[in-house]
Amino acid sequence: MIDERSRKKLILEHSRRMNAADIDGLLELYADEVTFEDPVGSGRRAGRDALRAHFEELAAAGITEIPGEPVAGQDGVHVLMPVTATMDYLPKGPGFAERGWLTAPKAPEDSRITWDYVLMMRAGAGGLIQEIQMFWGRSDIGVAD
């Protein structure tokens, strides 16, 4: 079990490294056998290589996360945090539009995606992240022209 303060620091550090586009540093927070789902319901993926590819796509789009106040579970492993994020519409936006998650903008090259989500992490032995999930729905994502 990992104490609440450490789990809260871990999730905040995740956002700090994501904002810095420090992919190698970000992956240091994760166990080799990590599982993740973004968004929940889109299918679970596994492993650091898959997670690296996911984070690299987000960094390429200039993601910025504004973290809210983390909340730790009493189970010694989970922590959740609300996040407000923005990123360039390109390159990931067209895929979101194809899935019906948002409406494509008239000027994609000048647009940003905005969304609110809850980030859930489960920490394991040694304080590394074993699982990460992002909870958001269609009403939580949009395009700012």
Side-chain angles (χ1 to χ4, degrees):
M1 291 195 355
I2 300 165
D3 68 78
E4 289 184 20
R5 184 179 308 259
S6 295
R7 283 179 279 140
K8 288 180 179 184
K9 287 172 118 178
L10 181 62
I11 201 166
L12 287 167
E13 183 62 15
H14 173 274
S15 283
R16 188 192 72 72
R17 293 182 190 190
M18 187 78 250
N19 287 342
D22 179 6
I23 305 304
D24 289 332
L26 190 56
L27 289 170
E28 290 174 357
L29 302 175
Y30 287 87
D32 290 337
E33 66 280 358
V34 63
T35 61
F36 68 102
E37 193 171 11
D38 180 14
V40 168
S42 66
R44 186 172 295 265
R45 292 174 273 175
R48 290 175 93 188
D49 289 341
L51 191 59
R52 174 182 289 281
H54 181 68
F55 287 155
E56 286 175 346
E57 287 179 344
L58 294 173
I63 192 166
T64 301
E65 291 186 342
I66 301 170
E69 190 65 34
V71 176
Q74 295 182 23
D75 61 359
V77 295
H78 286 93
V79 60
L80 292 93
M81 182 174 70
V83 176
T84 298
T86 61
M87 70 180 184
D88 295 337
Y89 180 79
L90 298 174
K92 289 187 69 79
F96 289 176
E98 286 173 13
R99 290 178 183 93
W101 293 347
L102 51 78
T103 302
K106 294 178 183 167
E109 63 281 348
D110 297 324
S111 299
R112 295 206 30 102
I113 296 171
T114 61
W115 77 100
D116 295 313
Y117 52 91
V118 174
L119 182 62
M120 185 283 299
M121 291 182 178
R122 179 176 51 85
L128 295 177
I129 300 166
Q130 299 286 318
E131 177 183 21
I132 183 171
Q133 293 181 303
M134 286 78 157
F135 290 81
W136 55 273
R138 289 183 176 124
S139 63
D140 303 313
I141 187 171
V143 175
D145 293 313

